Structures are given as structure tokens and as C-alpha cells.
């Protein structure tokens, strides 16, 4: 038997591994373009959040039908990848179904289970394609998805359908060959789903079926390797990043806005309060707030790479619902696109951050961030615990503190607050006037 | 009979007293014409129940919430640090407020600046009084048997997970609590949070408070209950915009209880 297929397989495998390694390093570096932030407290709570939200798909189940379909695809993905392990061993050793003799009936059972999931994935993907392209669920056909995002979503569904069909077809051809006693093929117990495909193939000779089986095998394994690489360019990165992303969730109350200690020192000085500790000059004060991705935290950028573009955030956003320009999903997509742009430029020895562009301004406009009510609906809605609000608020800080560019009415409010300690223009001495009426009333 | 009392922390301190709770009134509670009635209703309840409380009166300043959310961290901290100095000066331990924005800021954001207090929203406080039998409900007064819907404030609900206390209060009124299509974790903002209260909304199809009011009106409720000064303004404006102000009223939870108790 020729050893050539094994060599080709190994070459493929090594090449895919190399490309993946490069891509992962690129993504990791891009995420680290963000500022350091420690999110390692409360590990027990974090593991639990990850188990429930990423593994357990807890937040998906706010919408039942997509949740069930998604669950099928998710389980299919995990379980079918177990089969890929066998593919890889077979590919390297030149064996076929190396585990079949070892596992016997269990192997047949497992194969049937894989096939069942493959069919589940297939059906779900077809329904997803219909929802996206024919029934046009509003959140899946919005403006920000035009072009690559829409193509990306469809491509992945089509690839998955093809991969699942390849598995079924391979099993069908393989079992006909095995039943004919062709060398190399292992006869298993009955496989329910792929047996349904047998009538299409039984009319052909052995050599054609071997060709079909081999073609499907190669298609599947090369497809999977290609898929793994493709994922790193796609919103489907969430299948991996959902796990770290939920582990590093914000565990603080959603209404709490992060404090800026670098401001506290100055405020204490202005108010004549002795600064706590030994008035150590704060480490180099960077920019106040965020103008570009390097002002954000690495968690914000990881959030962006974890975004599934599902639009659940946007469809709950009061600003978006009432027709404002703000879309939290677009905010996440913009952060990712900017990180990619800067990352590529840096790798090419280009200008990186100094390309005359920035996240705020070139990607996200002030009109968008000004429309946010900080209601946290987007944060609540996100199935992988992404926090678009944190990014929006950091950009508002930049506009207010570095550019003094807040809307005029906000500047007026700031002024009132400075002079009369209330956002409205009332005299502070009138603050207690409300009590006069009550004090005059007799208690009932 | 004596009159209602509204002691200030300064008066208390002068007579060597320290009340059990500080009632944080907030800017809207102090200045907003409509919302002052809520402050007054709550104070009447406190008097009636005999809770030991005081207010800061002229010593109170804005918590800084709108400044922080509009991005002006300096201004926020200036207000916050000054407030914390005052409160720590009076050795405040427990704060009750009717404003979810003040509640969130004092509870979650003041600790980082040296202000550590137990902070309670008035809905939680009122619910405890009812549970402890200190307020005995009389059956809802003018709302008896009517439909009331509750509008979840983002800063009470999603921001701090307070969903049940306001509903328990409404249920104690012997009225029918009807939910809007979007409620609890999925509640829709009134449109005022994040400093939106202090500027015109950005261009769009509709204002957020109109969308929310439409949902509230769809329930057929004769009153919309709220637990936040901004929500009260936004929902009242929405009802007016829909020309329904004669049929549908907007009330704060404290007002509902005050009415039930015959205090207003
Ligand atoms: S927090 Fe802002 S972006 Fe998120 S849903 Fe609310 S208004 Fe929209
Ligand atoms: S941020 Fe979350 S909810 Fe919004 S599109 Fe991305 S994954 Fe979906």
C-alpha cells in the first residue's frame, strides 16, 4: 500500500497547524493591544459562570426555538469532533476506523449517535439559512450585517451542511464496501441514517465507491482543518472564545461604572483632602477615557472577538428600537474591525495606531454613543456576557474630559452641577424647601 | 396632634442624636415640582411608622450620577467626595433613597471613594415595613380592584436586581398587577438614564418614553407605578403625549402607599 496519502495528510495537517498557530498569535496580540486589567478574583464564581453561560448555554434559552437549534449544532460540533480524533489517527497511520475493532458494538452505537447529531446539525443549519435569508428575522438582516458579515454567516452554515453530508455519504459508501468484503473496510452494525443513502450508491462498482468514500473522507478532514482556520477570521470565533469570555465576565453589579483612581488623586487635592497612602505620584496618566482600542481594556477587545453578531443586544436596545443610530452589536463589530486593522498594519510594519484613524470618529460616531441610556439591556441580552456599555461609557469619558466635546445641554448640566450641586439650575439654598409644606401639615 | 417632622442631620447632631437612617432625597426629590410630592409622601410614611430618620437638607448635593454617565469623571468625583465627607462626618450607616440612580451610585460607586453604607431603595424599605406589619395595608383605596402596571427602572432592575420589592408593594394594595410585554430583565428603559434626562434625544423614529408608554397603555392599566423620579417624568410626559392623562395616572410606589394609608 502506498504511503503517499499519509504523507499528504501529514503535510496538510502540519500546514494547517502552522497557519492556525500564526492566526492565534495574531489574535492574542490584538487582544493585548488593550490595557491590562485584572479579572482573576472570585474564581469559583467565574468557573460557575462559564459552566452555566458557555457550556450550559443558559442565556440562549431566553429564546427557545433558536436555543434548541443552536444546542443541536453545538452538541454536534463537540461530539463530531471526537470522531475527528479518529480521522486524524487514521490519517497518520493509514488505518481505517482504528477504534472499531476495539470498541465493537459501542462503536456502532457511537457512530449512530454521531450520525443523529450530523442530521440534527444539517436540519438546524438549513433552518438558520432560511431564517437569515428568506424570513429575514429583523436582527439578522440589519444594516451593519451587509457584506462580509452576512456572507460569513451564510458561508459557515453552508460549510457545515456540506461537512455533515460528507460524513453521511462516507459512512454509506464505506458500509457498502464493507458488506462486499472489500479489504480495509470494517463492517459495523446497522447505521440508521447513512443506510438511507445506500440506494443512491449500491448500483456502482467497488472502485467508484472507494473513490466516493475517500473523496468524502478527504473532504471532511480537509474541510475541518480549513474550517478551523476560517473560524479565526469569522464571527464563529465565539465557539472558542465564549469560554474565556464568560470566565472573565464582569461580576460587579451592572450599574457600577468603573472608578478612575487617577482622577481621585486630583480631586482630593482640589478639595484639600490628604491623599491616602504616601501621596505616590500616580503612574503615568494616559488618556482619560477611550479614543482608540489601546485605551480600552483587553477584556473589551476579547469581548469584540467573541461577538457572534447575533444582534440580541441591538434588538433589546431602547435607542435602536426607537430608530437611533446606536447599535451595541455594531459597537462590538467596530472594535473588532479596528483591532484587526491596527494588528495587520503593525505586522506589516505599517503605521499601526498612528494611521490617522481611531475607533471613535472613524468607526463609531459621537451620535451613536450619545444615544445610550446606559440601561444595560444589551449586557443582559448577550448570550456570551459581552459588555458593549463599558466601551460606550469609556468613549464618553474621552469626549467629555479630553475634548470637552459633550453635547451643549450636557455641558450646561455640568455647569449647573459645579455651581449649584444639582443638574438643574436651582439655588442650593432652596434644596430643602420641599419640607416646609410637610412640616406645616398636621400628622394623620 | 403634632405636625410631620423632617429633621436634618445637622439638627440631630446638635442635639447629640444619630438617626437610624439617612433619607437621601436627591435632586429630583428636592426640586422637581411633581416629584416633590413623592418625597413628601415618603416622609409622611416615615413619620407615621415612627422610623428614626433624618435628611441632609441643604448639605446634600447631587450624587454625581449624571455627570459620571455623561463622561465627566472629575465632576462626578468632586460631588461624590464632598457628599462622602458630609456623610462620614455624621457617621451615616444606613441610607434609604427613592431614586434608583442615587441608590446605585451610593451603593456601588461610593465605596471606591471611601463611602461605605448600607443602601436601600425605598421600595425595599417599604416592603420590609409591610412585611413586618409596621404598615398595615387598607386595601388599595381608590385603586382597589383596578389594574396597575409597574415600569421597571433599569437602575433598580437590571443594574441591581431589584425586581420583586416593587411588585410585592403593588400586590399588597389589593389591585390587579398587570405586566407589560417587556418587563423585569427585559424591561424597556424610560429613556432618561445615562444622563439622557438632561438633553434632547438623538434623532430617531420615536422617543423612547413614547414607545414605553404605548406598551404601558396596551395593558389597559389605569395607573402606571414607577420607583424612580426620571421614570415618573418620562412616563407622565408619554401619557400626556398620548392624551390619556385623564384616564391613566402615573404614581410612585410611595404615593400609592400614602394614598392607601389616607396620608394624602
Ligand atoms: S446600555 Fe446603551 S447600548 Fe446597551 S441597550 Fe441600553 S441604550 Fe442600548
Ligand atoms: S454583543 Fe452579544 S448579543 Fe450583541 S451581537 Fe454580539 S454576541 Fe450577540
Amino acid at each position: 500500500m502506498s504511503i503517499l496519502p499519509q504523507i499528504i495528510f501529514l503535510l496538510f495537517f502540519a500546514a494547517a497547524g502552522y497557519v492556525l498557530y500564526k492566526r492565534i498569535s495574531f489574535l492574542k496580540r490584538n487582544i493585548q493591544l488593550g490595557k491590562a486589567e485584572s479579572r482573576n478574583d472570585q474564581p469559583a464564581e467565574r468557573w460557575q459562570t462559564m459552566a452555566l453561560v458557555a457550556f450550559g448555554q443558559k442565556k440562549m434559552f431566553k429564546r427557545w426555538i433558536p436555543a434548541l437549534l443552536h444546542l443541536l449544532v453545538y452538541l454536534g460540533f463537540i461530539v463530531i469532533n471526537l470522531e475527528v480524533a479518529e480521522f486524524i489517527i487514521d490519517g497518520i497511520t493509514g488505518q481505517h476506523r482504528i477504534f472499531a475493532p476495539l470498541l465493537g458494538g459501542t462503536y456502532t452505537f457511537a457512530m449512530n449517535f454521531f450520525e443523529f447529531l450530523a442530521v440534527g446539525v444539517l436540519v438546524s443549519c438549513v433552518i438558520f439559512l432560511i431564517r437569515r435569508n428568506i424570513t429575514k428575522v429583523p436582527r439578522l438582516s440589519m444594516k451593519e450585517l451587509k457584506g462580509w458579515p452576512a456572507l460569513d454567516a451564510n458561508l459557515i452554515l453552508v460549510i457545515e451542511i456540506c461537512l455533515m453530508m460528507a460524513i453521511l455519504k462516507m459512512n454509506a459508501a464505506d458500509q457498502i464496501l464493507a458488506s462486499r468484503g472489500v479489504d480495509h473496510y470494517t463492517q459495523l452494525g446497522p447505521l440508521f441514517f447513512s443506510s438511507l443513502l445506500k440506494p443512491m450508491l449500491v448500483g456502482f462498482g467497488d472502485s467508484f465507491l472507494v473513490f466516493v468514500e475517500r473523496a468524502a473522507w478527504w473532504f471532511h478532514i480537509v474541510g475541518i482543518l480549513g474550517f478551523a482556520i476560517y473560524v479565526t477570521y469569522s464571527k464563529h470565533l465565539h465557539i472558542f472564545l465564549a469560554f474565556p469570555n464568560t470566565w472573565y465576565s464582569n461580576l460587579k453589579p451592572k450599574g457600577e461604572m468603573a472608578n478612575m483612581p487617577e482622577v481621585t488623586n486630583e480631586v482630593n487635592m482640589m478639595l484639600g483632602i490628604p491623599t491616602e497612602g504616601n501621596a505616590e505620584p500616580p503612574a503615568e496618566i494616559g488618556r482619560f477615557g477611550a479614543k482608540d482600542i489601546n485605551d480600552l481594556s483587553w477584556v473589551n477587545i476579547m469581548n469584540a472577538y467573541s461577538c457572534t453578531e447575533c444582534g440580541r443586544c441591538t434588538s433589546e436596545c431602547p435607542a435602536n428600537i426607537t430608530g437611533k443610530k446606536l447599535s451595541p452589536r455594531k459597537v462590538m463589530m467596530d472594535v473588532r474591525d479596528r483591532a484587526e486593522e491596527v494588528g495587520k498594519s503593525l505586522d506589516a510594519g505599517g503605521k499601526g495606531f498612528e494611521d490617522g484613524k481611531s475607533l471613535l470618529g472613524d468607526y463609531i460616531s459621537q451620535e451613536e454613543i450619545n444615544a445610550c441610556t446606559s440601561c444595560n439591556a444589551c449586557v443582559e441580552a448577550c448570550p456570551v456576557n459581552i459588555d458593549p456599555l463599558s466601551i460606550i461609557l469609556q468613549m464618553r469619558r474621552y469626549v467629555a474630559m479630553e475634548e470637552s466635546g459633550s453635547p451643549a445641554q450636557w455641558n450646561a448640566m455640568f455647569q449647573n452641577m459645579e455651581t449649584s450641586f444639582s443638574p438643574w439650575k436651582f439655588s442650593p439654598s432652596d434644596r430643602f424647601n420641599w419640607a416646609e409644606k410637610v412640616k406645616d401639615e398636621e400628622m394623620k | 396632634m403634632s405636625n410631620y417632622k423632617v429633621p436634618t442631620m445637622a439638627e440631630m447632631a446638635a442635639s447629640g442624636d444619630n438617626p437610624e437612617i439617612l433619607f437621601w432625597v436627591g435632586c429630583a426629590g428636592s426640586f422637581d415640582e411633581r416629584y416633590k410630592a413623592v418625597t413628601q409622601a415618603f416622609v409622611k410614611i416615615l413619620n407615621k411608622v415612627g422610623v428614626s430618620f433624618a435628611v441632609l437638607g441643604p448639605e446634600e448635593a447631587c450624587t454625581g450620577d449624571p455627570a459620571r454617565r455623561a463622561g465627566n469623571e472629575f465632576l462626578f468625583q468632586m460631588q461624590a467626595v464632598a457628599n462622602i465627607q458630609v456623610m462620614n462626618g455624621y457617621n451615616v450607616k444606613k441610607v434609604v433613597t427613592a431614586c434608583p440612580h442615587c441608590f446605585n451610585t451610593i451603593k456601588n460607586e461610593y465605596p471606591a471613594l471611601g463611602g461605605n453604607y448600607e443602601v436601600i431603595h425605598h421600595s425595599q424599605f417599604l416592603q420590609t415595613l409591610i412585611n413586618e406589619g409596621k404598615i398595615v395595608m387598607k386595601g388599595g383605596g381608590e385603586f382597589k380592584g383596578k389594574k396597575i402596571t409597574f415600569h421597571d427602572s433599569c437602575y433598580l432592575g437590571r443594574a441591581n436586581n431589584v425586581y420583586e420589592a416593587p411588585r410585592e408593594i403593588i400586590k399588597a394594595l389589593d389591585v390587579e398587577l398587570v405586566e407589560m410585554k417587556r418587563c423585569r430583565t427585559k424591561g424597556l428603559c424610560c429613556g432618561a438614564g445615562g444622563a439622557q434626562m438632561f438633553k434632547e434625544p438623538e434623532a430617531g423614529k420615536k422617543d423612547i418614553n413614547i414607545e414605553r408608554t404605548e406598551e404601558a397603555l396596551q395593558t389597559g392599566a389605569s395607573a402606571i407605578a414607577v420607583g424612580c423620579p426620571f421614570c415618573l417624568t418620562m412616563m407622565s410626559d408619554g401619557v400626556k403625549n398620548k392624551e390619556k392623562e385623564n384616564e391613566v395616572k402615573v404614581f410612585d410606589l410611595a404615593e400609592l402607599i400614602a394614598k392607601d394609608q389616607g396620608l394624602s
Side-chain angles (χ1 to χ4, degrees):
Chain A
M1 201 183 75
S2 157
I3 196 166
L4 192 62
Q6 279 161 264
I7 294 173
I8 296 176
F9 177 83
L10 270 175
L11 282 177
F12 258 117
F13 198 61
Y18 179 72
V19 176
L20 258 182
Y21 167 76
K22 292 299 273 185
R23 260 316 274 182
I24 291 169
S25 316
F26 177 76
L27 293 174
K28 195 168 155 214
R29 196 279 320 271
N30 278 4
I31 288 173
Q32 285 166 347
L33 291 175
K35 288 201 284 199
E37 181 185 356
S38 170
R39 283 259 178 107
N40 292 313
D41 57 324
Q42 311 175 58
E45 183 85 25
R46 296 190 176 281
W47 285 112
Q48 195 191 356
T49 309
M50 186 179 90
L52 284 174
V53 178
F55 269 112
Q57 314 259 298
K58 180 176 153 210
K59 290 176 93 180
M60 285 298 286
F61 278 88
K62 288 184 179 171
R63 299 185 195 207
W64 274 89
I65 296 173
L68 286 174
L69 296 173
H70 182 267
L71 186 68
L72 269 176
V73 177
Y74 167 66
L75 288 178
F77 176 79
I78 292 182
V79 175
I80 291 166
N81 274 327
L82 292 176
E83 199 192 354
V84 174
E86 187 184 38
F87 267 61
I88 293 172
I89 299 173
D90 284 349
I92 294 170
T93 58
Q95 300 282 325
H96 189 67
R97 295 198 187 277
I98 192 160
F99 291 128
L102 301 174
L103 297 174
T106 318
Y107 188 88
T108 305
F109 175 80
M111 268 312 129
N112 266 310
F113 187 57
F114 290 171
E115 287 195 354
F116 164 75
L117 284 172
V119 171
V121 173
L122 233 165
V123 170
S124 303
C125 288
V126 170
I127 298 176
F128 281 147
L129 273 176
I130 293 173
R131 265 169 28 113
R132 233 167 229 285
N133 299 291
I134 300 174
T135 58
K136 298 232 186 244
V137 175
R139 72 186 157 94
L140 300 179
S141 47
M142 281 180 187
K143 198 166 69 228
E144 66 239 33
L145 294 186
K146 293 263 149 57
W148 164 245
L151 180 65
D152 178 23
N154 282 328
L155 263 181
I156 214 94
L157 291 171
V158 171
I159 295 174
E160 287 197 51
I161 291 172
C162 293
L163 289 174
M164 295 307 117
M165 294 209 298
I167 289 195
L168 294 171
K169 204 161 159 204
M170 179 190 80
N171 280 355
D174 165 305
Q175 287 310 292
I176 297 172
L177 289 165
S179 67
R180 290 180 191 169
V182 176
D183 190 29
H184 203 64
Y185 290 96
T186 319
Q187 174 84 62
L188 308 173
L191 298 180
F192 178 75
F193 288 101
S194 55
S195 295
L196 301 175
L197 295 178
K198 279 187 188 166
M200 282 164 57
L201 297 169
V202 280
F204 296 100
D206 290 355
S207 56
F208 181 74
L209 289 183
V210 170
F211 171 75
V212 169
E213 188 276 330
R214 283 290 87 191
W217 189 92
W218 279 98
F219 179 83
H220 190 74
I221 190 68
V222 173
I224 294 262
L225 293 176
F227 181 90
I229 294 166
Y230 174 81
V231 158
T232 66
Y233 289 93
S234 149
K235 74 184 187 103
H236 290 85
L237 206 46
H238 77 272
I239 57 186
F240 299 112
L241 282 185
F243 296 92
N245 199 67
T246 49
W247 201 88
Y248 289 108
S249 294
N250 176 22
L251 300 180
K252 297 196 173 139
K254 286 201 188 76
E256 178 179 342
M257 230 174 120
N259 193 42
M260 292 179 75
E262 64 268 40
V263 170
T264 312
N265 283 333
E266 287 192 40
V267 167
N268 283 345
M269 257 157 28
M270 277 194 269
L271 294 177
I273 300 170
T275 23
E276 269 173 45
N278 30 4
E280 206 179 295
E284 179 206 346
I285 297 185
R287 217 175 239 163
F288 289 122
K291 179 187 190 193
D292 213 338
I293 49 161
N294 53 338
D295 304 318
L296 295 170
S297 131
W298 68 274
V299 176
N300 297 136
I301 305 182
M302 179 178 60
N303 274 186
Y305 275 111
S306 312
C307 174
T308 330
E309 296 171 18
C310 65
R312 285 164 187 248
C313 50
T314 295
S315 71
E316 301 274 331
C317 171
N320 193 276
I321 287 171
T322 55
K324 277 95 181 154
K325 280 219 179 90
L326 173 62
S327 159
R329 165 172 58 189
K330 178 179 168 289
V331 170
M332 300 319 299
M333 293 167 73
D334 287 338
V335 170
R336 186 201 50 208
D337 290 352
R338 176 65 180 153
E340 285 279 302
E341 181 180 60
V342 171
K344 279 185 199 136
S345 169
L346 287 174
D347 283 350
K351 293 184 178 137
F353 286 104
E354 313 309 328
D355 58 356
K357 292 202 226 165
S358 59
L359 179 65
L360 181 67
D362 293 292
Y363 287 80
I364 299 171
S365 64
Q366 282 198 32
E367 181 178 350
E368 289 169 76
I369 57 168
N370 286 346
C372 173
T373 71
S374 72
C375 71
N376 266 302
C378 52
V379 182
E380 178 73 40
C382 181
V384 288
N385 286 359
I386 287 170
D387 187 350
L389 175 57
S390 146
I391 297 169
I392 294 170
L393 292 175
Q394 290 178 67
M395 289 194 290
R396 279 196 190 165
R397 279 178 167 168
Y398 175 79
V399 174
M401 293 193 278
E402 297 272 354
E403 295 194 318
S404 304
S406 304
Q409 288 174 302
W410 275 355
N411 283 330
M413 170 192 81
F414 295 154
Q415 195 117 53
N416 291 339
M417 223 185 255
E418 253 165 64
T419 51
S420 54
F421 315 113
S422 155
W424 293 286
K425 206 177 179 64
F426 290 107
S427 164
S429 55
D430 291 341
R431 194 175 261 276
F432 197 38
N433 290 358
W434 61 267
E436 273 153 33
K437 183 171 165 273
V438 196
K439 285 189 196 161
D440 284 344
E441 253 182 76
E442 199 168 282
M443 201 167 140
K444 273 179 232 159
Chain B
M1 283 288 272
S2 59
N3 284 2
Y4 288 110
K5 293 204 169 48
V6 193
T8 61
M9 291 301 268
E11 288 163 8
M12 282 258 174
S15 57
D17 269 348
N18 199 2
E20 200 185 306
I21 63 164
L22 167 68
F23 169 35
W24 183 274
V25 180
C27 300
S30 308
F31 294 120
D32 183 276
E33 270 317 312
R34 167 71 185 85
Y35 200 71
K36 277 197 249 177
V38 177
T39 311
Q40 288 154 353
F42 188 60
V43 159
K44 286 183 187 174
I45 297 171
L46 293 177
N47 269 274
K48 178 84 193 268
V49 179
V51 177
S52 137
F53 81 99
V55 298
L56 283 170
E59 287 190 280
E60 193 185 279
C62 177
T63 57
D65 157 84
R68 180 170 247 197
R69 268 141 264 265
N72 194 335
E73 180 75 5
F74 278 100
L75 187 51
F76 162 73
Q77 292 202 13
M78 293 288 282
Q79 307 281 311
V81 170
N83 281 323
I84 289 168
Q85 278 199 304
V86 171
M87 286 198 276
N88 288 354
Y90 288 122
N91 199 13
V92 168
K93 294 270 175 301
K94 203 165 164 181
V95 180
V96 176
T97 177
C99 173
H101 297 269
C102 299
F103 167 70
N104 176 71
T105 303
I106 303 176
K107 179 175 191 283
N108 299 322
E109 299 179 348
Y110 277 19
L113 299 168
N116 293 288
Y117 322 101
E118 182 190 350
V119 190
I120 303 165
H121 184 247
H122 78 325
S123 64
Q124 301 169 309
F125 190 72
L126 291 169
Q127 190 206 352
T128 316
L129 291 179
I130 295 172
N131 289 350
E132 288 172 352
K134 292 191 181 139
I135 298 178
V136 180
M137 301 300 276
K138 297 187 175 157
E142 62 183 275
F143 298 108
K144 195 174 174 66
K146 297 230 175 91
K147 280 186 188 166
I148 295 189
T149 188
F150 176 67
H151 162 74
D152 283 287
S153 311
C154 308
Y155 273 81
L156 196 56
R158 274 191 299 268
N160 288 292
N161 287 316
V162 180
Y163 296 107
E164 297 314 321
R167 291 182 165 77
E168 291 302 316
I169 292 175
I170 295 170
K171 285 184 200 149
L173 285 168
D174 213 7
V175 296
E176 188 189 342
L177 171 64
V178 284
E179 294 289 356
M180 287 183 246
K181 199 172 68 205
R182 289 182 268 220
C183 62
R184 292 198 170 84
T185 56
K186 291 187 141 228
L188 184 74
C189 182
C190 71
Q196 301 298 334
M197 183 74 193
F198 305 99
K199 71 164 180 52
E200 288 301 313
E202 326 306 312
K205 291 189 301 239
K206 206 193 245 188
D207 285 349
I208 295 170
N209 66 326
I210 303 298
E211 171 90 9
R212 186 54 166 170
T213 306
E214 284 167 2
E215 269 186 2
L217 295 178
Q218 271 167 24
T219 62
S222 54
I224 302 169
V226 297
C228 169
F230 296 168
C231 298
L232 187 85
T233 304
M234 295 310 255
M235 298 308 281
S236 305
D237 287 354
V239 171
K240 249 179 246 147
N241 180 284
K242 295 274 157 194
E243 295 177 351
K244 288 271 190 265
E245 64 267 38
N246 292 324
E247 298 119 80
V248 181
K249 303 278 178 220
V250 186
F251 288 113
D252 183 86
L253 296 162
E255 292 180 300
L256 293 175
I257 294 188
K259 279 181 188 297
D260 172 275
Q261 301 287 299
L263 299 177
S264 65

